[in-house]
Amino acid sequence: MVFTSNISQCRTEQLEGMNWKQPWLARTPSSREPSPGVSFPGASAGSAASATARPRSHEDAGDGILLSSGGRPALRVPAGSSASKMEMMADDYDTGDILRPLVFRLHENVPAIVREVLLERGWTEFDKKEQDDADWNLYWRNSPFRMTDHHSIKPWQRLNHYPEAVRITRKDYLARHLKHMKGAYGSALYEFSPVAYIMPNDYVKFVAEYSKERQSVGRRHSYWICKPVDLSRGRGILIFQDIKDLVYDCTVIVQRYISNPLLISGYKQDLRLYVCVTSFSPLTIYTYEEGLVRFATEKFDLGSLDNIYAHLTNTSINKYGASYDKYKEGIGCGCKWTFSKFRSYLRIFGVDDVLLWQKINNIVILTLLAVTPLPVASNCFELFGFDILIDDKLKPWLLEVNCNPALCVDCSIDDTVKRKLLHDIVELLNYKQVDTFRRNQVPGTKAGRRRVPWGTAGESATGEAPGLLTCRKAANCASASSVRPALQAAKGSICRVATLTEKSARAYPRKTLTSQLRERMNMPKIPSQAKAEAKNKQIPGAGRSPHKSAQLSHWLPTPDFCTYELTTRPYFLSDKDQRPIPRVGDFVLIFPFNEAALQASRDGTDVKSIIKEMNKLGSKQLVSKQQNAKKRAGCLSSV
Ligand code: ADP
């Protein structure tokens, strides 16, 4: 049984909602569930109020940004106006209707595009001196968070790393996990990763394999690639065929070199696939439909193994190559294509790119299954960069998995793909209006730690639908001292958004632009919202700074991380049916792929059942594919 033919196509089924009639997958692929109380442009307006509050794009607002609120006059912020003018306008306006922006926090060395995108969306940057410790919604860093950061996470916050995600992003760890899976579930299933030896530990095993190959008559001699386990960007890599050329002075993996890559006009390329895991427990995986095809900038030639510009596809290397800026026939200038362009190219040559992508998605699922279980942690996510090489038989190979995939912008293709990717990530994080208040503010509920069973349909962590707290209530509850910095932050954000308007209107798609406004708008009060507001008049802790509220201390989980339980309903679940949202922007949910997979990943990850399910699904699809082919052949012969 060959993996690629047996467990393919789960994605087709997922997208078409064919076999397994899940309401959460039956929706159109491009649908994105709006948050409660939010109306999207184009969505059918349920009421006059919601029609009034329909978010408008920057372009709609003419020479300024129109911040409208339900049934109230809009606050026009003229682009380019001074901060003081802005302040006056904001101060003059009823504070109850001023929107609090979402707040991001960046650690050093985070690529500039992350800040740019968040500012484009109307977020403000966390200011340590002005704001309280917990007064942020997204913390982005390039290194792992401390366990205490995970322990003290608040419902309105998200962290961009999962604890211990390094288990698959270090080359030796990944090799070890995949080897273990090969042993446990069969090498056929896991044969998408080239054979690898971890040096120096596996030196004897490598020599044995090498010698066996040399001694067998007529067997082609493999090429090998030696990579330092914890370096990236092609640093320290060596390709060899003769063992006498193997030298290393740190821990490395020696991997069989794929010497028959798919070449386009003679150039090697690999795929940088973006994968976002919103939870490891239960496992929830999204792959990004758009991505980068990274070309080597000199023609592939096994006769010159030391030519890094012919054998390595890292942009960090090729951008310094002599041919980078030159026009390369069949490829163009630079060293990148988008997935869209690549897939169109494949289709021209009759390649079934959908099938290829199904195989790639299966690789992603099987790889991530290899590292489960990871410690349970709520409100975090991990963006991985999977490096996939396709060989000349159209078999995809997993080369490695990167945490912190490069977000630097080297060319216009980078800008287009990465900017949209970041916007879609923020969409995936599913912030609600209530998150802008950054406090535990639902009355009548203890803000303490509690376990929230993932599958409990309809039950939110707070006992009420999220997004019920209005701006007015927050203004009433918080002390003047806490409101003022928020207002200042809002004004700062407005200015920055105004200056970014022109740029962002060009830079990211209209759909996201409106979503950005969604985050900044005062939405009309839905009836339950108004009810909650009235009920909340006596909110405990009113008049105190929300961040210093004693309520917060109830919320903190205990430090025993292993027994840590989810404290809020997972943010990535749809409000409608408590299941992962099937598609957000260009992110497509690939796991769980059916009801059985969902059940098998609910309380711990039952890898065996999931793999069984993948196999079952694959065989079913194979049969239906064969039947379709037969039908097509029948039609053709009758013409
Ligand atoms: P790094 O983390 O340093 O980028 P990678 O494992 O991604 O290391 O390897 C860098 C490049 O080397 C890849 O982008 C690919 O072009 C090439 N490469 C790596 N492993 C293989 C392999 N087994 N077969 C063929 N090419 C490989």
Side-chain angles (χ1 to χ4, degrees):
M1 173 193 74
V2 179
F3 151 69
T4 50
S5 61
N6 204 17
I7 55 164
S8 57
Q9 300 182 351
C10 57
R11 169 94 166 287
T12 307
E13 185 145 0
Q14 179 188 332
L15 290 181
E16 293 171 2
M18 274 168 10
N19 279 356
W20 41 296
K21 295 186 177 59
Q22 302 310 318
W24 49 294
L25 281 171
R27 280 181 266 166
T28 56
S30 59
S31 71
R32 165 73 164 87
E33 169 184 284
S35 302
V38 175
S39 57
F40 282 86
S44 58
S47 66
S50 64
T52 321
R54 202 170 72 98
R56 299 179 55 168
S57 71
H58 284 174
E59 290 105 310
D60 288 343
D63 59 350
I65 303 167
L66 199 67
L67 300 177
S68 69
S69 68
R72 299 190 66 111
L75 169 62
R76 183 174 286 278
V77 183
S81 52
S82 70
S84 58
K85 194 172 170 192
M86 209 76 71
E87 202 165 311
M88 196 190 80
M89 290 175 74
D91 277 347
D92 287 347
Y93 208 73
D94 183 344
T95 52
D97 290 303
I98 294 287
L99 182 78
R100 284 173 61 103
L102 289 157
V103 174
F104 64 90
R105 196 174 163 180
L106 302 183
H107 196 241
E108 57 208 25
N109 302 330
V110 171
I113 194 171
V114 178
R115 176 179 280 109
E116 281 170 30
V117 164
L118 291 164
L119 291 176
E120 277 166 11
R121 298 183 71 87
W123 288 50
T124 59
E125 187 156 4
F126 178 72
D127 183 343
K128 223 185 201 164
K129 288 186 215 109
E130 297 252 331
Q131 283 163 281
D132 203 272
D133 276 355
D135 202 3
W136 49 269
N137 299 93
L138 170 65
Y139 192 172
W140 192 291
R141 52 187 298 157
N142 281 352
S143 47
F145 288 96
R146 297 162 304 182
M147 281 307 188
T148 46
D149 294 323
H150 286 286
H151 290 158
S152 57
I153 193 82
K154 309 288 185 290
W156 57 87
Q157 298 177 332
R158 316 277 189 268
L159 302 175
N160 75 318
H161 290 300
Y162 221 86
E164 294 188 36
V166 71
R167 281 192 203 175
I168 50 165
T169 57
R170 237 181 81 145
K171 295 176 178 71
D172 51 340
Y173 294 176
L174 177 64
R176 212 167 277 148
H177 280 294
L178 293 178
K179 195 173 165 196
H180 168 79
M181 295 300 272
K182 272 183 192 171
Y185 302 102
S187 51
L189 192 64
Y190 274 86
E191 53 119 37
F192 56 78
S193 76
V195 171
Y197 299 90
I198 302 164
M199 305 293 196
N201 286 2
D202 291 342
Y203 185 78
V204 174
K205 282 187 202 151
F206 173 64
V207 172
E209 170 63 23
Y210 177 87
S211 312
K212 203 167 100 191
E213 202 181 72
R214 295 266 149 168
Q215 281 153 17
S216 45
V217 189
R219 195 162 156 198
R220 213 169 48 88
H221 295 169
S222 294
Y223 293 85
W224 301 92
I225 183 166
C226 169
K227 310 187 264 192
V229 294
D230 54 2
L231 284 187
S232 58
R233 291 179 271 139
R235 289 170 294 175
I237 289 184
L238 165 81
I239 303 166
F240 64 96
Q241 196 175 26
D242 193 325
I243 200 166
K244 73 173 171 14
D245 295 327
L246 172 62
V247 276
Y248 54 88
D249 56 7
C250 58
T251 309
V252 295
I253 66 161
V254 171
Q255 207 177 48
R256 201 184 296 277
Y257 186 65
I258 310 300
S259 55
N260 60 329
L262 175 73
L263 301 178
I264 297 184
S265 299
Y267 296 92
K268 174 180 173 177
Q269 85 297 137
D270 73 359
L271 309 182
R272 165 55 56 88
L273 174 75
Y274 297 105
V275 174
C276 193
V277 177
T278 50
S279 163
F280 273 94
S281 178
L283 188 60
T284 312
I285 312 170
Y286 290 84
T287 51
Y288 203 59
E289 280 196 326
E290 193 51 283
L292 297 170
V293 181
R294 309 173 311 165
F295 283 91
T297 46
E298 290 188 17
K299 292 205 175 183
F300 187 73
D301 178 7
L302 284 170
S304 60
L305 291 181
D306 52 359
N307 183 357
I308 51 172
Y309 303 112
H311 290 278
L312 306 188
T313 52
N314 304 76
T315 309
S316 48
I317 288 176
N318 283 287
K319 68 181 175 186
Y320 298 112
S323 310
Y324 178 73
D325 287 324
K326 289 190 189 140
Y327 180 81
K328 296 170 280 299
E329 208 179 336
I331 305 296
C333 293
C335 67
K336 277 180 188 155
W337 280 9
T338 57
F339 280 3
S340 316
K341 182 170 176 174
F342 179 64
R343 292 181 70 161
S344 307
Y345 173 90
L346 293 178
R347 281 197 291 267
I348 290 170
F349 290 93
V351 173
D352 184 350
D353 62 311
V354 174
L355 178 66
L356 178 64
W357 248 254
Q358 284 157 357
K359 290 177 189 174
I360 292 172
N361 283 338
N362 284 337
I363 290 178
V364 172
I365 296 173
L366 291 169
T367 304
L368 289 165
L369 283 178
V371 290
T372 53
L374 286 185
V376 178
S378 43
N379 287 28
C380 44
F381 66 98
E382 192 75 49
L383 177 69
F384 293 108
F386 275 61
D387 289 350
I388 307 282
L389 182 83
I390 299 166
D391 71 16
D392 59 5
K393 295 187 177 62
L394 295 171
K395 174 180 164 57
W397 293 88
L398 175 70
L399 299 184
E400 72 152 348
V401 182
N402 296 274
C403 59
N404 298 313
L407 291 173
C408 52
V409 176
D410 289 316
C411 59
S412 60
I413 293 175
D414 269 349
D415 191 79
T416 314
V417 172
K418 293 174 184 178
R419 197 170 292 275
K420 172 88 166 64
L421 169 78
L422 284 163
H423 277 289
D424 286 348
I425 287 175
V426 181
E427 289 290 311
L428 199 54
L429 299 181
N430 206 11
Y431 287 98
K432 303 282 159 59
Q433 191 184 354
V434 72
D435 294 320
T436 63
F437 300 111
R438 297 181 283 282
R439 51 172 299 179
N440 296 302
Q441 70 290 74
V442 176
T445 35
K446 275 220 165 100
R449 174 175 182 259
R450 64 160 80 185
R451 182 168 198 277
V452 182
W454 187 66
T456 314
E459 190 192 310
S460 86
T462 55
E464 297 200 29
L468 292 184
L469 195 76
T470 63
C471 296
R472 184 181 296 282
K473 196 194 80 189
N476 289 342
C477 296
S479 67
S481 61
S482 66
V483 168
R484 193 147 294 275
L487 284 179
Q488 299 295 348
K491 288 167 209 157
S493 173
I494 288 165
C495 294
R496 266 173 277 181
V497 170
T499 54
L500 276 163
T501 303
E502 200 191 331
K503 189 175 166 201
S504 50
R506 269 183 287 115
Y508 60 94
R510 187 180 294 256
K511 185 178 65 158
T512 314
L513 186 67
T514 54
S515 317
Q516 169 229 359
L517 284 172
R518 175 166 66 83
E519 290 163 3
R520 299 204 28 88
M521 292 280 178
N522 256 335
M523 292 301 156
K525 289 170 189 132
I526 52 174
S528 54
Q529 195 170 349
K531 215 167 103 194
E533 200 177 332
K535 216 167 108 192
N536 292 349
K537 283 225 163 92
Q538 303 301 320
I539 188 169
R544 274 184 283 155
S545 162
H547 313 299
K548 306 237 158 55
S549 165
Q551 285 181 52
L552 280 186
S553 59
H554 290 287
W555 199 90
L556 297 176
T558 56
D560 50 328
F561 197 75
C562 291
T563 56
Y564 180 83
E565 290 168 334
L566 296 183
T567 46
T568 56
R569 186 168 63 81
Y571 66 84
F572 50 87
L573 298 185
S574 137
D575 292 317
K576 231 188 215 165
D577 56 14
Q578 314 304 312
R579 291 168 187 270
I581 301 163
R583 183 180 180 114
V584 177
D586 282 346
F587 277 111
V588 179
L589 180 75
I590 61 160
F591 191 92
F593 51 85
N594 66 11
E595 189 63 29
L598 176 73
Q599 294 305 335
S601 62
R602 226 169 216 169
D603 295 313
T605 311
D606 180 354
V607 178
K608 212 168 169 180
S609 302
I610 292 169
I611 288 179
K612 215 164 104 191
E613 204 51 43
M614 289 176 84
N615 279 324
K616 232 163 58 187
L617 192 64
S619 345
K620 230 193 269 173
Q621 285 163 343
L622 197 68
V623 171
S624 89
K625 206 171 175 149
Q626 281 163 352
Q627 282 169 349
N628 284 344
K630 258 191 210 160
K631 258 189 228 158
R632 270 201 304 271
C635 286
L636 281 177
S637 58
S638 65
V639 174

